[in-house]
Amino acid sequence: MVVGHIGKQVLFVIALSSVIAIGVSEISCAQKVKSITGVGSTFAGPLYQNWAEGAEKEIGVQVNYQPLGSGAGRNQIISKTVSFGALDVPTSVEKLTKNNLVQFPTAIGGIAVVVNIPNIKHHMLRLTGPIIADIYSGKIKKWNDPKITEINKDVVLEDLDIAPIYRADGSGTTQVFTSYLVKESHNWAETYGSNTSIAWPLGIGGRGNGSVASMVKNIKGSIGYVEFAYALQNHLCMVQLKDSAGEYITLTEDSLRAAAKTADWVHSKNFNVDLINIVGENAWPIVSTTYVLVPAYNQNSKGVVKFFRWAFDKGDGIAYTLHYVPLPIFVKEKIEKTWEYAGITPNNS
C-alpha cells in the first residue's frame, strides 16, 4: 500500500491523537487518587500511619498523617486546614454543631505507666492511682517512699529521686491519664483536674508520646505515661496498676481487650464511652477510645471516609499487631449510618 503526502499527515495526526488520548487517560487515572491530610493524636499515630500504607496500595488513597497531638488536631480541623483531626477524647455536641463536624471512633488503646529504675524489670513494680497522683503532685519524692515499699515488699527500691515526665503539648493522652488521676485522688481532682493540658506542679515536659517515651528511657528515676505501642517499641518498663476491685493488673493485649469489651456502645451518645477504671475482670484501668473529626456535607470528607471504611474492613489485623483493639462490627455499622446522615459516604464505594 502506497501512502501519499496527505495520507502520511492524516496518519500522523491519528497517531498523535492516540498518544494525547493515552496521556489524558493517565492524567485522569492519576486524578482519581485521593490525597488527604490528618493531624492530631500521637496515641493513634502508629495505627493511622500503618493503615495509610495499606490503603494507598489497595484503594489509591494517600494519607499524610502528622501526630502533633490532640490539641493540634482539634484546632486544625476547626480551621479547616486539614482533611481530618484526630483526638483521644470525644468532642461535645455543642462544638460539633458549631463547627459543622462529624465525630466517630476508630479504635481502642491503652495507656501504660512506665518507669526507669535500676534493677526494676518489666511489670515488677506495683503502683496505685493515689500514689501516682502523689508522685506527680510532689508529695512522694523518692522511690523508696513508705507508701511505695508497702505494696512492693518483694522489691528492693533504692533511695532515688523520682523524675515525673509529662506531656507539654495539648494531648488527649494527658486528658485520659489525668482523668484516671481525678477518679483515683480527691486531692488531684480538687487541685489539678483533668484536661488536654494542665498546670503541672513539677516535672519535665515532652511533646508527643514518642518524646515522653524517649525521656523516660534516658532519665534515671523517671516515671511517665505513654500509649501501649510506644512502651513496647521503646522497651520501657511498665508497672502493674491496682484496679477498682483491688487486684493488680498488667497491661497486655488481654487486659486491654477485657476493658474494651465492657464498653457500653449501645447507650452511648455521639460514641462517647468512658473506659477509665472500668469494672471488669483483668481490665486495664487506663483505656481510651480514639476519635476522628471531619466536616459534614463536605466533598473532601469523602476521601477520609473511604480511607477509614477500608481500615474498618481490612485493618483489624494491623490494629491487633500494633496492640490496639478494633471496634465491634455493630459499632462500625453505626458509624456507616453517621457518614450517610452527614452526606460524606463516597459515591463509588
Side-chain angles (χ1 to χ4, degrees):
M1 176 181 176
V2 179
V3 180
H5 179 69
I6 296 177
K8 290 181 180 179
Q9 286 183 325
V10 171
L11 289 176
F12 175 76
V13 170
I14 293 173
L16 182 61
S17 298
S18 298
V19 171
I20 293 174
I22 293 170
V24 170
S25 176
E26 290 176 349
I27 293 172
S28 177
C29 290
Q31 287 174 340
K32 290 180 181 179
V33 175
K34 296 284 185 180
S35 180
I36 59 176
T37 302
V39 166
S41 167
T42 62
F43 179 93
L47 181 60
Y48 294 168
Q49 289 168 340
N50 278 268
W51 273 349
E53 292 180 12
E56 183 170 358
K57 293 176 183 177
E58 293 194 18
I59 58 173
V61 175
Q62 297 175 337
V63 182
N64 174 25
Y65 184 72
Q66 301 173 40
L68 302 179
S70 294
R74 178 180 287 110
N75 293 337
Q76 293 200 35
I77 193 61
I78 287 176
S79 63
K80 303 296 190 295
T81 57
V82 293
S83 308
F84 70 91
L87 296 79
D88 300 324
V89 289
T91 301
S92 68
V93 174
E94 291 76 17
K95 286 187 178 179
L96 292 173
T97 302
K98 178 181 178 181
N99 295 285
N100 196 33
L101 296 172
V102 177
Q103 171 178 276
F104 59 91
T106 57
I108 298 169
I111 294 176
V113 177
V114 293
V115 297
N116 180 346
I117 308 171
N119 302 317
I120 298 300
K121 297 180 181 179
H122 204 44
H123 295 145
M124 182 184 291
L125 187 72
R126 292 178 166 184
L127 291 178
T128 67
I131 286 175
I132 296 172
D134 284 351
I135 287 174
Y136 273 90
S137 63
K139 292 184 178 182
I140 294 179
K141 301 179 182 294
K142 298 278 188 176
W143 279 115
N144 65 345
D145 184 280
K147 288 185 178 179
I148 300 177
T149 58
E150 176 64 25
I151 59 174
N152 291 279
K153 293 181 178 179
D154 56 342
V155 178
V156 178
L157 291 163
E158 61 182 89
D159 183 16
L160 176 66
D161 289 337
I162 301 176
I165 310 295
Y166 59 85
R167 286 283 292 274
D169 53 330
S171 159
T173 305
T174 291
Q175 182 152 355
V176 174
F177 178 69
T178 54
S179 294
Y180 167 71
L181 297 184
V182 163
K183 287 190 175 185
E184 290 285 294
S185 167
H186 178 73
N187 177 69
W188 186 275
E190 291 292 317
T191 308
Y192 306 107
S194 172
N195 211 328
T196 54
S197 181
I198 68 167
W200 296 95
L202 75 167
I204 309 169
R207 302 186 70 83
N209 272 282
S211 176
V212 171
S214 178
M215 292 172 75
V216 171
K217 191 172 186 176
N218 290 289
I219 298 176
K220 183 179 177 182
S222 60
I223 181 173
Y225 56 95
V226 295
E227 196 275 327
F228 189 22
Y230 289 87
L232 292 173
Q233 290 168 4
N234 289 276
H235 306 289
L236 299 177
C237 179
M238 292 183 278
V239 308
Q240 295 182 52
L241 286 182
K242 191 176 183 179
D243 69 5
S244 56
E247 300 293 328
Y248 284 94
I249 307 298
T250 297
L251 176 53
T252 63
E253 285 85 355
D254 287 340
S255 64
L256 182 54
R257 283 194 288 268
K261 74 178 184 180
T262 62
D264 186 7
W265 293 105
V266 175
H267 299 98
S268 67
K269 294 183 178 179
N270 205 37
F271 301 107
N272 185 351
V273 293
D274 185 1
L275 295 173
I276 299 172
N277 236 2
I278 200 161
V279 177
E281 185 178 356
N282 193 41
W284 181 249
I286 318 179
V287 177
S288 174
T289 302
T290 192
Y291 297 86
V292 159
L293 297 179
V294 293
Y297 305 103
N298 187 304
Q299 288 295 317
N300 292 331
S301 295
K302 293 187 176 184
V304 178
V305 167
K306 186 175 182 180
F307 166 61
F308 282 106
R309 172 179 279 174
W310 174 89
F312 289 165
D313 289 343
K314 303 288 186 67
D316 284 2
I318 295 173
Y320 281 125
T321 300
L322 296 170
H323 314 289
Y324 297 86
V325 176
L327 299 174
I329 293 176
F330 80 92
V331 176
K332 294 178 182 179
E333 292 172 348
K334 189 176 179 180
I335 292 170
E336 287 268 358
K337 294 294 184 183
T338 301
W339 292 338
E340 291 176 16
Y341 297 149
I344 52 177
T345 302
N347 295 327
N348 61 343
S349 57

